[in-house]
Amino acid sequence: MVKDLVEFRNLETHFKTTAGTVKAVDNVSFTIREGETLCVVGESGCGKSVTAMSLMQLIESPPGKIVGGEIFFEGRDLLKLSKKDMSRIRGNEISMIFQEPMSSLNPVLTIGNQISEPLMLHMLLDRKAAKKRAIELITLVGISRPEKIFDSYPHELSGGMRQRIMIAIALSCDPKLLIADEPTTALDVTIQAQILDLMRDIKQKLNTSIMLITHDLGVVAEMADYVVVMYAGKVIEEAPVLELFQDPQHPYTKGLLKAKPIINQKQERLYSIPGQVPNPIDLEDNCHFHDRCEFCMDICKVKQPPFRSHGKDNHKSACWLYEEEREVL
Amino acid sequence: MSADVMPITENKNTKKAKAVDTPWKTALRRFTRNKLAVIGFITIVFMFILCFIGPFFSPHNLYDYSLKNKNLAPNVTYWLGTDKLGRDILLRMMLAGRISLLVGFVATFITVVVGATLGALAGFYGKFVDTIIMRVADIFMALPSLPILIILGAVLSDLKVDPDIRIYYLMVIIGILNWTTLARLVRGQILTLREQEFMQATEALGLKDGRKIFKHLLPNTIPVIIVTATLSVAGAILTESALSFLGVGVVPPTPSWGNMISAANNLIDFRKRPWLWIPPGMCILITSVAINLIGDGLRDALDPKTKK
Amino acid sequence: MKQYIIRRLLQMIPTLIGISIIIFAISAMVPGDYITARANPNMSIEKQEQLRAIYGLDKPDYQRYFIWAGNMIKGNFGDSMQHKQPVTTVINTYVWNSFVIGIFALFFSWFIAMITGIFSAKFQYSFFDKVVTLLVFICMSLPSFFIGLLLIKFLALDLKLFPVGGMSTSGLNATGWTYFTDVLKHSFLPIMVLTMLSTGGLTRYFRTSMLEVIRQDYIRTARAKGLKERTVIFKHAFRNAMIPAITLLGFELPGLFGGAMILEQIFAWPGIGHIYLNSINMRDYPFMLGFTIFLAVLTLLGNLLADVLYGIADPRIRLK
Amino acid sequence: MKEVLMQVDNLKKYFPITGGVFQRTVGNVKAVDDVSFRIHRGESLGLVGESGCGKSTIGRTILRLNEKTDGTVLFQGKDLYKLPKEELRRMRPKMQIVFQDPFSSLNPRIKVGQAIGEALYDHGVTDPKVVRERVLETMNICGLASYQYDRYPHEFSGGQRQRIGIARALIMNPEFIVADEPVSALDVSIQAQIINLLSDLQRDKQLTYLFISHDLSVVEHLCDRVGVMYLGSMVEMSSTEELFRNPLHPYTKALMSAIPIPDPTYKRDRIVLQGDIPSPANPPSGCKFHTRCPIASDICKQQAPEYRDVGNDHLVACHFV
């Protein structure tokens, strides 16, 4: 039976702003299984990045703070770990790559220096062994002339190559989980294809589970085994990738799938979800999508739909359409 | 006739027609939240009241040289004591404050007018105009400002300029000599603004030059000017007091905080009668700290990037 | 890099010419001159005329400018009337006294500014940060002469901790170690004031630079690698914050050699600043002009040094 | 054949690289390198390509927002680069532009209503009531509520700001609009709203578009003809239907196959181009694509291919087509 690697249970991460508290992550629960690629998909401001940063405990406080819930990693609740233990896990058992390759590497340190750092810290390698391992890693991520790259500076590399170096750094200590926060959004489409190929190839070789955060449904279809859809800080649907694309339940997921123009499938007029994402400050206890939803009923405006499976075992969603008792309380 | 555009569904939050908060209102709100800046503002207001209104309430007047109560320590009638001519130190300090504050603000006004115009010209017209102005700016930047000011002060003394008129020369000299910092900042701001897409939009819309400059470029440059001007007021006050202390700035009998402190050159006064020179010194210190606090508060309030 | 330096040096020439014209014009405006300033009543008019001729003061202004500028290019700044020695030798004798207090003040202010800047950026909005911000504002608005006088009054006169002024106790013609400690005691107050004056601005500069860097993505990457907070701050953040700060070293150059005119006057410190101030009072033109040009050249070289240091510190520019 | 609204011939735009002691020009970034095309009235031409291919530069240069290096640009038969400054200014309303970044394309210090309407004052409309009337009407067409007239840009979301940008261009009753990546910075659901708005406006106001984007699927939906660019040159151009049914240039094929399809069952053998996009400062010799082209051979290295019509108005620049 495949073991659960990470389990989020009722995670709450809030940000204090002058205009009020923003519930960036509002009671989020889902699990990542070993060797699986889980995609968290949603538009900007839905809390997908904050969820990942909460797992890594890189939330800058003030203004942000994890106010509730638990995050289990291999059975241990990370939120209860001491700062020292947590920093031993970061970059070692869980590692992360980010969206902007152009600014994610330190401009004044050489590539080699930045790859060797986690090796020397977590794997206790000396400088020479770390250099050897670093050169292996540079080759693993598909860059030629690794010795030259080892001594060069980030500004001498293109966006695509820098993202490969970020992946090399993340893989340096054979992590169990690789978090990728929109790794290809800032890249051109031909380079994006290379990076996605590389990530799939690495998953085969090292059997690392991947938590991929994206807003592009095309990337989800290509990479994901399991998908979690988020909107305004909440998980509104989760399902295996095939299930989600063929039989989406939540109106927002359906809307997203229809809104994207697809090559060779020309439509006369694009379906578009009206309105815009609600103001995140002091949202009421109701379905946050109600004012943009074409199936909106009275109950949606008043009460929050439960997040449950409706018939299929691992396909859950939070929408009153599938609930029996729908009269307004 | 209009296309069947979906009516934009207003959700509750954006609907309520809340008061329109203009960029200036948001800036004011941010400024008032910054405690240090507000303290600075209150201090400045107090200094102005002290110097410009205080003298009317003082029981003494400037011209009663009564030698019998000269060099008195602070007492109930003379709150800050008297000097060797029996003049009330508190009254003189207030009048001196008028001069120092006036010189500081007028000199800065001159710096702003010269610096902002030259900076705007260099930034907006570019190429030929830009190179000339920037070359001249290089020269002024390299000029050691304090020595030049002292030399000019000495020149004023040699030309036997009447003390009252001398103040105005002083304002012009201090004002003229540090226009370069503001000019560079304004030029830099205009160059960055011209790259912004909304300035290219004014070009695409075919707006006339006048509208481009006064409706788009200047309003977005004003924050930089306000912050730099505020900080340079403190600088101007410090410069004036230094020159006056060296005897080449505001020259007695016109009182200024600087030349009141030069009383400390006489060893006995320095040691025995600190009330002669410490209060004006404290005034300079407090005024310039307050102005710097306001300047920094303005920078945070007006800079759109800093989201506090 | 060499090409860049050559270009900058060539660009300095027109600027220097411009400066020399302005400085000469200002000093030419002064009605009196060295002779009238020193003229004692019994010196007859002809005597004064003769003296002026010797010093060449009787020629029209523009001619005097070309003579002066011509000599200067040949390195001859003319003789100081007051000290009866070439300006360059006068500068050489006194400049090192100013350099001593300048270099110590530079070291202390940079050291203090770096530490406070880093910690007040790291613990932004903390109590420490608020105190530091207030202190920074006070230091930045200190009138140099007033603070000098205050310290002399309280620390030297009242508490007798330090000598009132001068560089060494007169009459004590000791050598070696005792002389050294004596000078050290005398220099303590001037160095302290100089440090206070420059620490304010520097601390604010370091703090803003650190705050800017701490928000960058690569700091988040460093933390995501599990590095200790100390390494993240001192290795990753500090190195990047230092790059713009290094250029400030260049701007300190004029201060180091130019001396603090007002402070040296208050502390009677025999530095070049003090001499320069006297030369202005005494209308000693050759020295006055010569030293002002010296300061201007120092400022220009300082600016160049600042840009060169920036190129060396930042790999993105160094390789160009 | 419909009237040609915009005719561009051998357009070049080079950015000089300076070096040496006297800042002499030592090289050129060939952002736009000899590009020609025509846009007919009522048509929307798509310009597609990756970063550094020069599509945005073309958009700005044909409106003379930055100066060309060579070539001719005729708008309604008039050569924009020969017009005196004032006459060019008076022609501006006919040709407008919508920008990509919703946050930097609006002046933060003036009200939205003013931003949309102010240009009218400089083009003959003097009565404020008339201006306000036309602004409110245009805002309504673009899906903005009237009470938002007095609001400031910082109170709007990205999608709404794009609507303001479109209203600002639309109010001038333009005939030709350059849309420079208008939806790239927006989320998918908002993107669809703006795309629909643009196509509705084209239908209702008979607008002509030059639509610049890096997203082929958006271009396929909106445009009648599409040009694919690589490193400053046009590599292929044809009607949308023809291009997507029968792409000829290897780069176009690779570009299309690289786009992730939101359908997990969709299987295809994807062409993944190796290597990185070369720097426009020193482009490869001969055919610029030869360093990454799967079917490159010696001729591609020496000689740049001729950009020719292979029938059915399908232009392509490749030796092997």
Side-chain angles (χ1 to χ4, degrees):
Chain A
M1 212 288 280
V2 176
K3 276 212 304 32
D4 283 357
L5 184 63
V6 173
E7 190 197 350
F8 293 90
R9 205 179 287 166
N10 314 103
L11 179 65
E12 296 269 349
T13 309
H14 298 171
F15 285 79
K16 278 201 217 53
T17 66
T18 44
T21 355
V22 171
K23 288 189 180 140
V25 172
D26 184 4
N27 187 2
V28 160
S29 308
F30 61 87
T31 54
I32 306 173
R33 277 170 281 287
E34 242 173 53
E36 173 197 61
T37 301
L38 178 126
C39 264
V40 181
V41 70
E43 296 185 313
S44 36
C46 72
K48 51 189 189 300
S49 292
V50 175
T51 312
M53 294 295 263
S54 307
L55 169 57
M56 290 284 278
Q57 293 187 41
L58 286 174
I59 299 283
E60 202 200 319
S61 60
K65 198 164 177 314
I66 300 177
V67 292
E70 294 130 330
I71 306 176
F72 293 98
F73 177 70
E74 285 180 329
R76 281 180 310 174
D77 181 357
L78 296 181
L79 301 185
K80 305 237 175 353
L81 288 184
S82 71
K83 261 197 178 338
K84 212 153 61 56
D85 296 344
M86 188 59 210
S87 70
R88 206 170 290 123
I89 291 178
R90 245 192 255 119
N92 188 4
E93 292 175 44
I94 310 176
S95 57
M96 191 166 180
I97 58 174
F98 300 95
Q99 174 175 347
E100 283 301 335
M102 300 312 270
S103 60
S104 292
L105 290 172
N106 190 326
V108 292
L109 301 175
T110 61
I111 299 288
N113 182 334
Q114 298 187 54
I115 299 180
S116 318
E117 264 178 325
L119 290 170
M120 289 195 273
L121 177 69
H122 295 303
M123 316 286 277
L124 307 173
L125 299 178
D126 63 26
R127 192 166 290 281
K128 218 158 53 49
K131 174 162 185 174
K132 200 167 76 57
R133 176 76 181 119
I135 288 176
E136 280 162 24
L137 283 164
I138 295 176
T139 326
L140 169 72
V141 291
I143 297 180
S144 51
R145 301 193 315 284
E147 286 75 12
K148 184 178 169 306
I149 298 291
F150 185 87
D151 296 325
S152 50
Y153 284 91
H155 68 275
E156 296 169 79
L157 275 62
S158 71
M161 280 164 77
R162 281 188 227 195
Q163 198 62 312
R164 289 169 185 272
I165 294 294
M166 286 295 294
I167 294 170
I169 295 174
L171 298 176
S172 52
C173 309
D174 302 329
K176 293 194 178 57
L177 171 67
L178 168 64
I179 306 174
D181 188 353
E182 308 235 20
T184 58
T185 307
L187 300 176
D188 283 306
V189 69
T190 50
I191 311 293
Q192 166 176 281
Q194 290 172 10
I195 300 292
L196 294 181
D197 260 9
L198 172 63
M199 286 176 74
R200 266 196 301 273
D201 179 34
I202 281 165
K203 188 157 165 285
Q204 256 72 37
K205 277 193 200 139
L206 310 173
N207 194 17
T208 336
S209 3
I210 297 179
M211 177 182 178
L212 178 61
I213 294 161
T214 179
H215 65 276
D216 184 337
L217 286 164
V219 171
V220 171
E222 259 189 48
M223 299 291 289
D225 299 328
Y226 197 79
V227 186
V228 168
V229 182
M230 285 183 74
Y231 184 78
K234 296 175 109 40
V235 175
I236 53 152
E237 183 158 2
E238 63 169 86
V241 65
L242 263 178
E243 250 315 291
L244 190 90
F245 277 87
Q246 275 153 10
D247 172 22
Q249 288 178 356
H250 198 284
Y252 176 65
T253 319
K254 285 185 193 150
L256 272 187
L257 286 170
K258 281 192 280 181
K260 183 90 173 69
I262 301 168
I263 291 264
N264 299 328
Q265 293 165 18
K266 193 151 199 245
Q267 303 154 347
E268 192 31 43
R269 187 170 176 70
L270 281 181
Y271 170 83
S272 81
I273 308 171
Q276 57 188 351
V277 181
N279 185 333
I281 290 166
D282 43 60
L283 284 164
E284 278 95 26
D285 183 11
N286 57 15
C287 168
H288 299 322
F289 185 63
H290 76 274
D291 55 3
R292 301 177 76 189
C293 178
E294 50 190 314
F295 310 102
C296 178
M297 299 169 285
D298 296 342
I299 187 161
C300 304
K301 298 196 178 89
V302 186
K303 195 158 173 294
Q304 218 169 74
F307 180 68
R308 289 193 309 176
S309 69
H310 306 287
K312 301 207 182 74
D313 52 9
N314 49 20
H315 186 161
K316 296 189 194 137
S317 62
C319 180
W320 288 109
L321 283 175
Y322 306 94
E323 297 294 326
E324 290 67 32
E325 30 92 21
R326 273 192 252 124
E327 67 295 337
V328 180
L329 299 178
Chain B
M1 191 275 292
S2 76
D4 57 354
V5 171
M6 277 85 59
I8 176 157
T9 49
E10 286 302 308
N11 67 27
K12 221 168 17 28
N13 309 63
T14 50
K15 185 95 169 119
K16 52 188 185 308
K18 56 187 181 334
V20 178
D21 49 2
T22 66
W24 298 110
K25 265 204 202 104
T26 33
L28 189 66
R29 212 164 3 92
R30 272 209 222 129
F31 184 83
T32 39
R33 255 209 312 281
N34 176 339
K35 280 196 291 304
L36 284 179
V38 170
I39 295 167
F41 185 71
I42 295 165
T43 327
I44 276 296
V45 168
F46 168 72
M47 289 311 271
F48 264 89
I49 293 167
L50 178 75
C51 300
F52 286 91
I53 296 158
F56 301 113
F57 294 98
S58 155
H60 321 289
N61 73 50
L62 191 55
Y63 303 103
D64 55 4
Y65 295 79
S66 56
L67 289 178
K68 65 176 171 33
N69 41 28
K70 67 179 171 65
N71 291 340
L72 293 175
N75 51 49
V76 73
T77 47
Y78 296 99
W79 287 350
L80 283 180
T82 61
D83 63 6
K84 58 183 182 303
L85 298 174
R87 291 176 298 191
D88 172 32
I89 297 296
L90 175 61
L91 176 61
R92 261 179 100 337
M93 196 179 75
M94 289 195 270
L95 294 171
R98 279 189 194 168
I99 308 288
S100 293
L101 289 174
L102 211 62
V103 168
F105 279 92
V106 171
T108 306
F109 177 74
I110 296 168
T111 314
V112 167
V113 166
V114 174
T117 355
L118 289 179
L121 287 176
F124 191 70
Y125 288 105
K127 283 196 217 58
F128 188 62
V129 171
D130 185 12
T131 352
I132 299 176
I133 293 180
M134 279 307 124
R135 278 289 79 70
V136 169
D138 289 343
I139 294 176
F140 272 83
M141 290 286 264
L143 279 179
S145 57
L146 196 57
I148 295 290
L149 284 170
I150 295 169
I151 294 173
L152 286 171
V155 165
L156 285 177
S157 317
D158 287 357
L159 294 172
K160 306 274 181 303
V161 173
D162 171 79
D164 292 339
I165 303 151
R166 187 191 173 93
I167 305 168
Y168 302 108
Y169 279 106
L170 212 58
M171 293 175 191
V172 171
I173 302 167
I174 298 177
I176 291 290
L177 265 172
N178 57 30
W179 63 273
T180 49
T181 347
L182 186 68
R184 273 185 197 282
L185 280 171
V186 167
R187 171 178 175 272
Q189 176 77 0
I190 288 185
L191 291 181
T192 20
L193 282 174
R194 285 179 66 177
E195 300 314 315
Q196 295 261 346
E197 280 178 354
F198 76 83
M199 276 316 288
Q200 290 182 12
T202 60
E203 185 64 32
L205 289 163
L207 297 184
K208 292 191 174 116
D209 273 1
R211 186 180 291 275
K212 271 193 221 168
I213 296 175
F214 293 104
K215 235 359 223 321
H216 292 277
L217 273 182
L218 270 188
N220 284 295
T221 326
I222 285 174
V224 169
I225 295 176
I226 292 177
V227 172
T228 325
T230 323
L231 296 175
S232 68
V233 169
I237 290 178
L238 285 174
T239 314
E240 178 273 321
S241 55
L243 292 177
S244 308
F245 172 72
L246 295 173
V248 282
V250 178
V251 174
T254 339
S256 118
W257 284 334
N259 67 23
M260 281 175 80
I261 298 173
S262 55
N265 291 339
N266 158 335
L267 201 56
I268 308 143
D269 287 352
F270 175 65
R271 185 200 290 258
K272 288 279 179 305
R273 302 186 189 91
W275 67 83
L276 282 177
W277 54 278
I278 289 187
M282 289 313 288
C283 283
I284 302 174
L285 178 60
I286 292 163
T287 315
S288 43
V289 167
I291 294 174
N292 277 327
L293 286 178
I294 297 174
D296 207 62
L298 282 174
R299 176 185 292 126
D300 288 348
L302 293 174
D303 175 5
K305 282 197 297 303
T306 50
K307 292 271 172 309
K308 210 195 186 120
Chain C
M1 187 49 82
K2 258 206 305 335
Q3 269 175 353
Y4 175 75
I5 294 176
I6 297 164
R7 177 155 52 84
R8 282 296 297 271
L9 287 173
L10 292 178
Q11 268 172 357
M12 258 199 238
I13 295 169
T15 317
L16 259 178
I17 293 168
I19 293 167
S20 62
I21 292 171
I22 291 179
I23 294 175
F24 191 83
I26 293 172
S27 60
M29 276 197 302
V30 180
D33 56 26
Y34 178 68
I35 312 297
T36 40
R38 289 291 305 280
N40 38 44
N42 49 39
M43 189 188 278
S44 65
I45 304 302
E46 305 80 24
K47 191 91 177 52
Q48 284 179 9
E49 287 312 322
Q50 261 175 354
L51 267 177
R52 279 210 183 86
I54 301 161
Y55 285 107
L57 293 177
D58 51 0
K59 295 192 186 64
D61 290 346
Y62 66 87
Q63 228 179 1
R64 276 170 49 221
Y65 169 71
F66 285 114
I67 301 162
W68 170 64
N71 297 343
M72 208 165 53
I73 296 164
K74 294 201 279 302
N76 158 11
F77 278 59
D79 293 354
S80 151
M81 295 178 185
Q82 212 181 353
H83 304 278
K84 304 285 185 291
Q85 290 166 333
V87 169
T88 33
T89 24
V90 173
I91 292 179
N92 194 8
T93 42
Y94 292 100
V95 78
W96 301 111
N97 302 345
S98 298
F99 182 77
V100 161
I101 50 173
I103 201 76
F104 275 106
L106 177 73
F107 175 73
F108 288 133
S109 56
W110 271 68
F111 182 74
I112 301 166
M114 268 192 247
I115 304 296
T116 28
I118 290 170
F119 281 103
S120 78
K122 177 76 193 76
F123 304 107
Q124 202 180 11
Y125 309 126
S126 67
F127 177 71
F128 173 79
D129 182 30
K130 288 202 170 57
V131 165
V132 162
T133 316
L134 196 62
L135 278 178
V136 156
F137 278 116
I138 292 170
C139 283
M140 272 169 55
S141 352
L142 288 176
S144 54
F145 55 94
F146 180 58
I147 284 308
L149 292 172
L150 276 182
L151 289 182
I152 295 174
K153 169 107 177 78
F154 293 111
L155 297 185
L157 282 175
D158 296 352
L159 302 174
K160 304 255 181 306
L161 291 175
F162 298 103
V164 174
M167 195 156 94
S168 55
T169 352
S170 51
L172 172 86
N173 36 39
T175 53
W177 181 248
T178 44
Y179 176 71
F180 178 71
T181 44
D182 184 45
V183 168
L184 212 61
K185 250 194 329 34
H186 278 82
S187 66
F188 183 82
L189 282 186
I191 291 176
M192 182 171 158
V193 174
L194 257 180
T195 313
M196 280 167 76
L197 287 176
S198 53
T199 310
L202 271 173
T203 311
R204 187 156 73 118
Y205 192 89
F206 277 109
R207 178 174 177 275
T208 342
S209 182
M210 277 299 283
L211 281 178
E212 195 54 42
V213 165
I214 282 178
R215 275 204 302 267
Q216 297 298 327
D217 291 346
Y218 51 80
I219 298 297
R220 185 185 49 184
T221 318
R223 288 206 177 104
K225 285 197 236 177
L227 302 176
K228 292 191 196 59
E229 194 58 14
R230 232 190 13 268
T231 331
V232 171
I233 293 296
F234 281 99
K235 178 179 178 191
H236 284 267
F238 182 64
R239 270 226 233 185
N240 279 282
M242 266 313 286
I243 292 176
I246 278 194
T247 56
L248 289 181
L249 264 183
F251 301 132
E252 301 269 4
L253 198 62
L256 268 181
F257 291 96
M261 298 166 70
I262 299 174
L263 281 184
E264 287 173 10
Q265 163 122 353
I266 295 172
F267 287 102
W269 183 264
I272 192 69
H274 193 184
I275 305 298
Y276 182 55
L277 205 52
N278 292 347
S279 81
I280 295 173
N281 293 339
M282 303 305 292
R283 305 294 184 277
D284 174 0
Y285 288 112
F287 185 84
M288 202 163 78
L289 295 180
F291 190 71
T292 316
I293 292 290
F294 175 73
L295 279 181
V297 168
L298 273 182
T299 322
L300 288 176
L301 288 177
N303 297 347
L304 175 61
L305 179 66
D307 293 342
V308 166
L309 286 174
Y310 194 91
I312 294 168
D314 188 339
R316 283 165 291 197
I317 300 170
R318 180 195 312 153
L319 300 178
K320 255 220 194 57
Chain D
M1 240 331 248
K2 282 214 202 84
E3 172 210 359
V4 172
L5 205 55
M6 170 67 78
Q7 183 182 332
V8 174
D9 292 322
N10 313 94
L11 183 66
K12 291 195 179 78
K13 173 65 185 174
Y14 296 170
F15 293 101
I17 312 166
T18 54
V21 175
F22 298 102
Q23 292 295 80
R24 273 174 287 89
T25 320
V26 291
N28 269 320
V29 174
K30 297 195 173 87
V32 176
D33 196 6
D34 191 356
V35 168
S36 310
F37 56 88
R38 300 215 176 345
I39 309 176
H40 304 279
R41 179 179 292 282
E43 178 194 39
S44 50
L45 171 69
L47 265 191
V48 163
E50 295 182 300
S51 31
C53 75
K55 53 187 187 300
S56 279
T57 317
I58 285 185
R60 310 255 162 126
T61 313
I62 62 173
L63 291 181
R64 201 174 170 189
L65 289 178
N66 49 35
E67 295 302 306
K68 65 173 174 154
T69 307
D70 195 355
T72 56
V73 175
L74 301 178
F75 178 70
Q76 293 181 334
K78 294 204 190 70
D79 183 338
L80 292 182
Y81 282 84
K82 290 200 171 57
L83 287 177
K85 199 166 180 305
E86 183 48 26
E87 212 186 315
L88 171 66
R89 193 187 72 76
R90 236 179 264 111
M91 275 196 68
R92 282 286 177 202
K94 293 205 186 65
M95 40 183 188
Q96 285 302 311
I97 182 166
V98 176
F99 292 96
Q100 166 180 1
D101 176 3
F103 291 94
S104 91
S105 59
L106 291 173
N107 178 352
R109 291 199 178 277
I110 58 172
K111 289 185 182 138
V112 158
Q114 284 166 331
I116 297 172
E118 70 174 340
L120 294 176
Y121 288 109
D122 280 354
H123 289 288
V125 184
T126 52
D127 176 0
K129 271 202 293 319
V130 170
V131 169
R132 187 179 173 91
E133 190 49 47
R134 274 180 64 178
V135 170
L136 290 175
E137 189 207 334
T138 319
M139 278 171 76
N140 187 276
I141 295 169
C142 297
L144 293 165
S146 308
Y147 78 87
Q148 292 173 320
Y149 183 99
D150 297 308
R151 288 294 164 78
Y152 281 82
H154 65 267
E155 299 175 61
F156 291 88
S157 71
Q160 286 173 315
R161 285 179 193 220
Q162 283 306 72
R163 290 175 185 276
I164 297 166
I166 292 168
R168 178 173 59 185
L170 190 66
I171 201 166
M172 311 300 288
N173 290 329
E175 292 164 40
F176 173 61
I177 291 186
V178 170
D180 186 357
E181 304 230 31
V183 289
S184 315
L186 305 177
D187 280 313
V188 174
S189 60
I190 310 291
Q191 243 180 39
Q193 289 175 21
I194 301 295
I195 290 170
N196 287 343
L197 173 61
L198 286 172
S199 51
D200 294 343
L201 292 176
Q202 178 166 41
R203 188 190 62 233
D204 296 342
K205 311 262 178 179
Q206 290 80 38
L207 296 176
T208 310
Y209 285 139
L210 173 68
F211 191 86
I212 297 170
S213 174
H214 64 275
D215 186 337
L216 259 169
S217 33
V218 170
V219 163
E220 185 195 21
H221 177 78
L222 254 178
C223 301
D224 310 322
R225 273 172 62 242
V226 178
V228 180
M229 290 191 63
Y230 186 78
L231 224 58
S233 313
M234 193 73 77
V235 293
E236 185 165 5
M237 178 180 279
S238 87
S239 69
T240 312
E241 189 271 333
E242 163 85 7
L243 188 82
F244 283 87
R245 184 171 41 76
N246 165 27
L248 299 176
H249 196 283
Y251 177 63
T252 313
K253 288 182 191 152
L255 206 54
M256 287 187 182
S257 81
I259 297 164
I261 303 296
D263 170 3
T265 59
Y266 188 90
K267 283 289 165 277
R268 68 175 182 282
D269 49 6
R270 162 176 290 166
I271 316 164
V272 180
L273 294 179
Q274 291 318 320
D276 269 301
I277 304 169
S279 109
N282 49 34
S285 60
C287 167
K288 294 179 187 162
F289 185 52
H290 80 261
T291 52
R292 302 176 73 202
C293 179
I295 55 168
S297 71
D298 292 345
I299 181 166
C300 304
K301 289 195 186 62
Q302 289 115 21
Q303 205 203 341
E306 192 219 341
Y307 177 64
R308 66 196 192 300
D309 187 339
V310 292
N312 194 325
D313 208 2
H314 191 145
L315 300 128
V316 72
C318 177
H319 297 298
F320 295 97
V321 167

